[in-house]
Amino acid sequence: MELSYIYDIIKEEDESMNYRDYIVFDFETTSRYPDTTQPVQIAAVAIQGRKLEVIPNSEFQSLIQPIFDEKECAKAGVDVLEDGAVAVHGKTEAMLKKAPSLKSVWSNFTDYVNEYNFKKTPWYAPIAVGHNIRGFDMPIVHRICCEKPWGYGPKDKDGRRQSLFNPINIVDTLDLMFCCFENNKEVNSLSNDNLVRGYMGYSQGEAHDALSDVLMTAELFCRTMKMFRRFVYNKKFKGAFA
């Protein structure tokens, strides 16, 4: 992918503005516990940082084969595939036994994310976006990058933090939606399904499929960020507390 045009933009424009791309991603997992769960599916889509639009043909998705044996799961400190999780996302043991390993999928996903890191440094890495990403998806990323039984990287020089995504900025659409709807009594849940599919009327794809959820979250993110840009464009922040 040709990204040299971004260097020309940065030379001409204020570098304090965001020129990093965004990666909206989502896991489906064996359980609800981010510190011990195993991923069984990952999906992602890239957002162009200045246009706030999905980059054409930027979708990534793969099933992932987890550890099935209960003794091996206990040894590795990870959760087995729970019936409740299968009931939610529909990824059965029979399906997942045909899937590639986490190590293989993570290598491909790392290559995918790095395509959108136009300076190939952690500080210019794409900004991670997701719904409840702080509480669920990013802890899983940290474990895959830095902790046993995985530790596949990429990680910082001390090996303590992931370096795949931007180390400073994360956009959790759950936080954005709280800010938008914390004073709206019509909305009784900020889950993706209830808010975007139910309240806002989004009807594409299937709920709890990682790729469908990613495309829905990408739409929510782009529309919300564009709204914020319009709102603050003529607001005077300089000297506001003087």
Side-chain angles (χ1 to χ4, degrees), residues 127-158:
I127 296 170
V129 180
H131 202 78
N132 193 28
I133 195 174
R134 291 185 188 275
F136 194 77
D137 300 272
M138 286 306 293
I140 297 173
V141 169
H142 169 77
R143 290 172 55 220
I144 296 173
C145 289
C146 302
E147 295 183 1
K148 295 180 179 180
W150 305 315
Y152 298 142
K155 46 193 171 185
D156 65 12
K157 62 181 180 179
D158 297 323

